[in-house]
Amino acid sequence: MAERIDYAVIGAGVVGLAIARRLAQSGREVVILEAEDAFGTHTSSRNSEVIHGGIYYPTGSLKARLCVSGKKALYQYCAEHEVNHQRIGKVIVACDGTQLAGLKKYKQQGEINGVDDLQWLEREELATLEPAVLGVAGVLSPSTGIIDSHGLMLAYLGDAEEHGASLALKSPVESGRITGDGIALNVGGDESMTIVCNTVVNSAGFHAQALARKIAGLPPETIPPTYYAIGHYYTLTGASPFRHLVYPVARQDWLGVHVTLDLGGRCKFGPDFAWIDRIDYTFNTSREAAFYEAIRRYYPGLKDGQLQPGYTGIRPKIHGPGTEAPDFMIHGPKDHGVKGLVNLYGMESPGLTSSLAIAEYVHDLLSA
């Protein structure tokens, strides 16, 4: 006979853990099912570790709303739970006059989204704030920050477990079906079993769409396609010349090769952007020349040999080349007609920043 549980959260990335924490705090019995042998091994640990301001996202989108509210909640959470972070600030740079209109649009969009602390920087102000940066103007986002993503996930998991949640590692969900008595999940691993859940939250990241397609009874037309985009990060040898994060005005459908500082003060550049057809974290060193060219547009002091290969990260996309980036896709019962099921698709940036707000959103969907 199948074991019965109340809530199953599939995926122990930063978003899944935040959701499990919120549901456990509401008094639910929660089991977190994770296919890997540790939590947060993919997107949640291979990113820029930035607390985003909420500037770039379309008006009224989930990304805009959840990033701005999630940022505020995240700073408060980090302070209360001693999660290492710094409100270091970010400078967006127009490298030449052709990028000024784009820079102004960023500031306008950020203000529409409720980011009320943005500051315009003239050339002299930019040079004073970041002497190593070459640009004709900039926008300062004081509320952008950096965070220890592993420490954050540990804190979320600790909160969830304090409220009775449990984490099951090496427990891949292999299939499922909608029944009249809940959602049955077939869980693999060392001790395979079938569990019947009152509620399931599919927060499986890269695998969310593939998993949804394996749940018999879920309308397939509600499941978006799956795409992947890889980004490389290079590290800077020697001391960092930057005091803030530095982002150039975007040139394509991504934010460009930007400057990120970690909590130890070390500098890294990235990510770049390339579409790939499968999950493969191999570092492509042929990208190096393109990095030097992109970085020197705003940091001409970069010397040959200063860049060292760092790491790669892959974004779970729900759109392909040549199409506009869509919003977060968080499907509840009203979207697909299945009681007690929430599917989260395309949970890329700003997923970490938005994690607490996403968790609240999912909780509300299931409480409606």
Side-chain angles (χ1 to χ4, degrees), residues 41 58 88 134 146 155 175 202 218 231 246 255 289 304 311 355 360 363:
T41 59
I88 193 173
L134 178 66
I146 54 178
S175 63
N202 172 11
L218 177 64
V246 180
L255 299 183
D304 288 344
Y311 61 96
S355 54
E360 195 65 38
H363 173 268

Side-chain angles (χ1 to χ4, degrees), residues 128-199:
T128 299
L129 206 61
E130 285 291 348
V133 172
L134 178 66
V136 297
V139 168
L140 173 65
S141 170
S143 63
T144 300
I146 54 178
I147 189 169
D148 173 6
S149 58
H150 184 77
L152 178 65
M153 289 187 282
L154 273 176
Y156 284 169
L157 177 59
D159 282 352
E161 290 178 336
E162 282 184 12
H163 288 84
S166 58
L167 171 63
L169 299 173
K170 295 192 287 187
S171 300
V173 177
E174 297 176 341
S175 63
R177 66 185 185 280
I178 311 301
T179 75
D181 192 33
I183 302 170
L185 300 177
N186 299 314
V187 183
D190 295 337
E191 297 182 9
S192 59
M193 66 175 68
T194 298
I195 57 177
V196 178
C197 313
N198 295 328
T199 301

Side-chain angles (χ1 to χ4, degrees), residues 87-134:
R87 198 184 297 246
I88 193 173
K90 173 176 74 176
V91 176
I92 312 171
V93 178
C95 299
D96 55 49
T98 66
Q99 295 184 333
L100 283 173
L103 186 66
K104 291 176 182 177
K105 286 182 180 178
Y106 285 158
K107 187 172 185 291
Q108 292 167 356
Q109 188 61 47
E111 289 168 347
I112 290 170
N113 290 348
V115 186
D116 57 8
D117 59 354
L118 299 176
Q119 302 170 28
W120 183 266
L121 303 172
E122 298 293 348
R123 185 195 300 263
E124 297 76 13
E125 296 170 304
L126 173 62
T128 299
L129 206 61
E130 285 291 348
V133 172
L134 178 66

Side-chain angles (χ1 to χ4, degrees), residues 285-300:
T285 55
S286 70
R287 314 287 291 188
E288 184 173 306
F291 265 76
Y292 275 102
E293 180 184 357
I295 295 164
R296 282 170 173 159
R297 291 192 184 101
Y298 60 87
Y299 175 40

